[in-house]
Amino acid sequence: MSTTVSTQNDTTAQKTHHPVQVAKRLEKFKTTIFTQISTLAVKHGAINLGQGFPNFDGPEFVKEAAIQAIRDGKNQYARGYGVPDLNIAIAERFKKDTGLDVDPEKEVTVTSGCTEAIAATMLGLINPGDEVILFAPFYDSYEATLSMAGAKVKSITLRPPDFAVPIEELRSTISKNTRAILLNTPHNPTGKMFTREELNTIASLCIENDVLVFTDEVYDKLAFDMEHISLASLPGMFERTVTMNSLGKTFSLTGWKIGWAIAPPHLTWGVRQAHAFLTFATSNANQWAAAVALRAPDSYFVDLKRDYLAKRAILVEGLNAVGFKVFPSSGTYFVVVDHTPFGHENDVAFCEYLIKEVGVAAIPTSVFYLNPEEGKNLVRFTFCKDEETLRAAVERMKEKLRK
C-alpha cells in the first residue's frame, strides 16, 4: 500500500506545468470580468450587484410552456434557424414594436442567446481587415468576436454625464473604408438610450458611406425615460441593419440563451452560414416556450417596467446617499457611478475593496474600453435583484463605505 501511495505522489510531483495556449486573436482577452467578480463575490459573501442576472425567476406561464414542450417530445434538434412558431412570434413582436413587416422564414434567425447572434453576425458578415466602429464603453463580447473575425476595430467614446454621441468625431471616423457600426441601445453599461436625433445622424452617415449597422437591442423593454427606437425602422435602414435581441432580459430567463437576429435576406445569409457552424440549432423546447413569452399581453411589459422603475429608484437613491456621483440611467437595469469620492486608485482597486471590505460587488468599467484609462473612474451596478437585496446592499455601503 505504501509503495502505491509513494508512486502516485511521485507521479503528481513530476507533472509538467505547461503554459496556457490560446490563439493570437484571443490572447489579449482574459477570463471575463463577470466571472472574476462573481467568483470573488461568492468567496467573500458579497451581495452581487455586478453581473446582470436576476436573482428572481421568470414568469410561470413561460416556464410551464417549456415543461409542456418537453413532455410533448420537443427534445431533438430544432430546425437550424428556428422553430417555425418562434420565428413567427419574433416577426409579430417586431411588427408590433417597429411597424416593420419581416418574413419569419427569410429574415429571422434564432440563435443561442444574443451573444451568439453577435458572434454569428461578426463571423458571417465581417472579413479580416474590415473596419468596424464601436461606441465605448461596450459589452465585452463585441471586441472579442470582432477579433475572431479579424476586424480592425475603431472606438468612439461616450463620456459622462449624458454619454452623448460625439457627432463630429463620428463624422470624422466613418468613411468609405468602414464596413459596419455596432451599437447597443438601451446601452450597457451606461443605461444611455440613443436619441432619435443621434440615430438619424448615424443612419444618414451609414447611407452616405454604404455602411452596415449591427444593433444589440436586448434591453428594448427596459426603456424608462424615453422611447426605444430600432435603427432598422428609420428610412433606408432596414436593408443595411442586423437587429439582435433575446428573451433573457425581458423575461428573467438568462440561462435559457434564446436570441435572434432580424435582417434582410442578403444579410441573413451570412448570419445563418456562421450560425450553422457555431451552434447549428438552439434548445428546442425553450424555443416553443419563447414563442409563448413573446405573445404575452401588453400588461406583462407594463408591469415589468413598473417593477424595474421601483428597483432603480431604490438603488439610485441609495448610491446618491452613500456619496457616489450617479449618472442618469434611462434604460437597461444598470447604473454607472463615479467612484473617485472614495479615494481609490482606479475602478478595479475600488471594486476589490468594495467586495472584500464592504461586501457588495460591482463591475469595473475599464474592461469595456479599448483604452482602459477612459473607464478607470467608473463602476457599474445592476438593479436586476429583488428589493430586499438592493436595500441590503445599500445598507452595507452606508455602514462600511468610507470617504
Side-chain angles (χ1 to χ4, degrees), residues 14-51:
Q14 290 169 11
K15 276 188 177 177
T16 305
H17 291 282
H18 296 286
V20 295
Q21 297 188 30
V22 63
K24 289 190 185 304
R25 60 184 170 271
L26 288 175
E27 65 186 359
K28 69 168 281 190
F29 301 100
K30 313 297 182 190
T31 303
T32 73
I33 192 65
F34 308 108
T35 300
Q36 292 178 47
I37 292 294
S38 292
T39 301
L40 204 58
V42 170
K43 180 180 177 181
H44 292 276
I47 297 172
N48 194 346
L49 301 189
Q51 192 170 357

Side-chain angles (χ1 to χ4, degrees), residues 32 65 76 82 107 109 126 195 200 317 355 384:
T32 73
Q76 307 309 322
E107 299 179 319
T109 305
I126 298 298
T195 66
N200 280 333
E317 288 168 14
I355 290 172
C384 60

Side-chain angles (χ1 to χ4, degrees), residues 69 73-79 83 280-285 287-288:
K74 313 294 188 186
N75 301 310
Q76 307 309 322
Y77 291 129
R79 185 179 67 170
V83 166
F280 173 66
T282 295
S283 168
N284 194 339
Q287 288 192 60
W288 288 92

Side-chain angles (χ1 to χ4, degrees), residues 254-375:
T254 58
W256 284 21
K257 298 299 287 180
I258 303 289
W260 55 87
I262 299 172
H266 67 281
L267 299 180
T268 289
W269 175 252
V271 174
R272 287 187 180 177
Q273 286 296 93
H275 165 68
F277 299 108
L278 284 169
T279 60
F280 173 66
T282 295
S283 168
N284 194 339
N286 286 352
Q287 288 192 60
W288 288 92
V292 172
L294 290 178
R295 295 185 176 114
D298 290 344
S299 60
Y300 173 81
F301 302 101
V302 171
D303 291 347
L304 178 79
K305 191 179 292 190
R306 182 200 64 219
D307 290 348
Y308 269 116
L309 279 168
K311 295 176 193 299
R312 183 182 69 166
I314 291 168
L315 183 59
V316 168
E317 288 168 14
L319 292 171
N320 275 312
V322 169
F324 288 102
K325 183 176 182 182
V326 183
F327 299 111
S329 172
S330 300
T332 75
Y333 43 50
F334 301 116
V335 177
V336 166
V337 303
D338 186 330
H339 68 82
T340 55
F342 299 98
H344 293 265
E345 181 183 0
N346 55 43
D347 57 329
V348 174
F350 175 78
C351 285
E352 287 183 358
Y353 165 81
L354 192 67
I355 290 172
K356 294 175 182 177
E357 304 300 329
V358 181
V360 176
I363 295 289
T365 68
S366 57
V367 298
F368 301 136
Y369 294 80
L370 287 185
N371 176 10
E373 281 291 303
E374 293 183 327

